[in-house]
Amino acid sequence: MPLRPSTPTRSPNSTSVVNGSTMPGKRRSSTTTARLPVRPPSIRILTAWFGGLRDSARRTSDYWLGWWVIIGTLPICVLGLLFKDQIRGGVRNLWVVAIALIVFSAVIAAAEFYGRQNRTVEQLTWKDSVIVGLAQCLALVPGVSRSGATISAGLFLGQNREVAARFGFLLAIPAVLASG
């Protein structure tokens, strides 16, 4: 039997970049251009926030978003500390979890149906951050989704889906870090 030359095998998970798009199953060629890494939104917002503190001309929407995240985080910090013992013990009941899941599935559906969804990130105010921050506090009750509560509150406030989700997930960063 003649021996066949071995051909290199390709992993089905490898990718190649051709003209800016990825092609599954292909290896990356040496002629592709490397892309510079994009800064994560949290780093971009922190940089804008510190820059805006020093220079009022650098106060962009990211600067204000940094303030809105700080303000929106205050309610969960305060209520989390005040009700720490009740959160860890008394409220962890199967009935509470079941009722919270049912009620908040209806809240999320209502927010999607009734929310105007026409406000952009530039239109956020401190009132929005307080209301969404208070909605985040509802997640201290077992069975309530933190992201579901914040996104629903944002939708009820008229924020479009992208802004409500983005702001809700930005609020998660300090809340999750503070929870330990």
Side-chain angles (χ1 to χ4, degrees), residues 6-29:
S6 64
T7 57
T9 59
R10 290 190 180 153
S11 166
N13 295 330
S14 63
T15 58
S16 170
V17 177
V18 178
N19 294 334
S21 64
T22 59
M23 298 178 61
K26 303 280 184 173
R27 291 185 187 229
R28 189 171 240 192
S29 70

Side-chain angles (χ1 to χ4, degrees), residues 108 110-118 132 149-162 164-165:
I108 292 169
E112 180 67 30
F113 185 75
Y114 291 111
R116 292 188 314 269
Q117 300 179 15
N118 59 1
V132 175
T150 56
I151 292 171
S152 295
L155 292 175
F156 277 127
L157 290 169
Q159 299 168 8
N160 65 39
R161 286 185 191 101
E162 180 187 349

Side-chain angles (χ1 to χ4, degrees), residues 4-180:
R4 296 176 58 187
S6 64
T7 57
T9 59
R10 290 190 180 153
S11 166
N13 295 330
S14 63
T15 58
S16 170
V17 177
V18 178
N19 294 334
S21 64
T22 59
M23 298 178 61
K26 303 280 184 173
R27 291 185 187 229
R28 189 171 240 192
S29 70
S30 61
T31 60
T32 58
T33 58
R35 293 186 183 192
L36 295 175
V38 178
R39 288 193 308 185
S42 55
I43 301 299
R44 191 184 70 235
I45 291 167
L46 273 173
T47 304
W49 186 74
F50 281 115
L53 288 176
R54 290 189 307 267
D55 183 9
S56 63
R58 295 176 60 187
R59 294 184 177 169
T60 63
S61 62
D62 282 341
Y63 165 80
W64 290 108
L65 195 55
W67 274 115
W68 305 151
V69 168
I70 291 168
I71 293 169
T73 302
L74 294 176
I76 199 159
C77 290
V78 171
L79 292 177
L81 286 173
L82 287 176
F83 296 108
K84 179 174 48 174
D85 296 331
Q86 290 83 4
I87 293 166
R88 288 186 180 161
V91 118
R92 299 223 179 263
N93 179 335
L94 185 58
W95 286 103
V96 172
V97 173
I99 290 169
L101 284 170
I102 292 168
V103 168
F104 265 86
S105 63
V107 169
I108 292 169
E112 180 67 30
F113 185 75
Y114 291 111
R116 292 188 314 269
Q117 300 179 15
N118 59 1
R119 294 179 56 212
T120 62
V121 71
E122 289 82 15
Q123 296 170 318
L124 289 177
T125 65
W126 67 270
K127 292 177 186 176
D128 295 321
S129 62
V130 169
I131 292 170
V132 175
L134 288 171
Q136 182 173 236
C137 292
L138 295 173
L140 296 172
V141 176
V144 177
S145 164
R146 192 213 52 78
S147 61
T150 56
I151 292 171
S152 295
L155 292 175
F156 277 127
L157 290 169
Q159 299 168 8
N160 65 39
R161 286 185 191 101
E162 180 187 349
V163 171
R166 181 179 175 201
F167 187 56
F169 284 109
L170 285 171
L171 279 177
I173 296 169
V176 170
L177 290 175
S179 70

